[in-house]
Amino acid sequence: MLKRFARSGLNWPVPVEMSDADLESCLYGLPGVKPGRRKQPEPDWSAVVCELKRKHVTLQVLWEEYIGAHPDGYRYSRWCDLFRRWEGRLPLTMRQHHAGGEKMFVDYAGDTVPVVVDRRTGEVRDAHLFVAVLGGSSLSFACATWTERFADWIEAHNSAFAFFGGVAHLLVPDNAK
């Protein structure tokens, strides 16, 4: 108590007009505020996780919204570090072990990409991006097809097999209809 009193800058005897609450805040600091805590406002990290599940949302986009609302807030690298630390405290839900050559994950990657078919006329068509990834090594393959129909799906698989130099034991499609 003597050390706290010395750090508070108060003189003995304590002024009579000082209330108990004022004396307590001088000795112990503000209630609910821990020393050494972060001074900048932090976002609701669970809301950040929910937003990241939406299409085209990245940490960069969410940080730009945060910094727009809090100009004196954390810079991008610190903001990402705080998010990763918060995320690291979440319980792991599932770990997967992939043996080399065992599984190949295949899917079309979301949105289409515009492709210039004829530079003279400026004709542009949308292409669908096929992606294949080997589970053990994360070696990736991608190619564009005009549609997601069965013939293009099979041709994209054949191209992936040729690229990888073999066939995996198991093909794992994501929500193939």
Side-chain angles (χ1 to χ4, degrees):
M1 281 303 297
L2 293 174
K3 289 179 183 176
R4 282 182 189 269
F5 189 81
R7 281 194 307 250
S8 71
L10 294 172
N11 294 321
W12 188 259
V14 177
V16 177
E17 61 273 359
M18 182 176 252
S19 69
D20 287 345
D22 291 338
L23 178 61
E24 188 174 331
S25 69
C26 285
L27 293 176
Y28 297 104
L30 297 173
V33 176
K34 295 180 182 175
R37 296 298 279 181
R38 299 181 186 104
K39 307 292 188 260
Q40 283 89 1
E42 283 191 56
D44 178 9
W45 295 120
S46 57
V48 170
V49 169
C50 290
E51 287 293 313
L52 281 173
K53 293 178 183 174
R54 293 179 42 220
K55 246 185 183 183
H56 306 295
V57 176
T58 63
L59 280 176
Q60 178 75 38
V61 169
L62 294 174
W63 174 78
E64 288 171 0
E65 291 175 4
Y66 161 80
I67 206 67
H70 306 286
D72 293 333
Y74 293 108
R75 299 296 100 193
Y76 180 68
S77 60
R78 178 67 176 146
W79 192 83
C80 288
D81 182 50
L82 291 173
F83 173 70
R84 296 289 180 221
R85 284 186 186 175
W86 179 86
E87 187 181 42
R89 291 192 304 254
L90 295 177
L92 295 176
T93 54
M94 180 172 57
R95 286 191 180 256
Q96 293 185 358
H97 175 72
H98 302 292
E102 180 184 23
K103 295 178 187 172
M104 183 171 85
F105 298 89
V106 293
D107 192 16
Y108 278 99
D111 296 338
T112 58
V113 291
V115 176
V116 177
V117 177
D118 189 350
R119 283 189 274 167
R120 283 179 273 162
T121 63
E123 179 188 356
V124 176
R125 284 182 64 185
D126 286 334
H128 300 259
L129 194 61
F130 173 84
V131 179
V133 178
L134 291 179
S137 65
S138 296
L139 182 62
S140 302
F141 168 81
C143 71
T145 63
W146 293 123
T147 68
E148 292 184 12
R149 295 200 174 143
F150 189 68
D152 287 330
W153 176 254
I154 296 299
E155 181 57 36
H157 277 76
N158 288 335
S159 299
F161 298 147
F163 174 78
F164 292 135
V167 179
H169 290 281
L170 188 65
L171 299 179
V172 183
D174 181 44
N175 194 23
K177 294 182 174 64

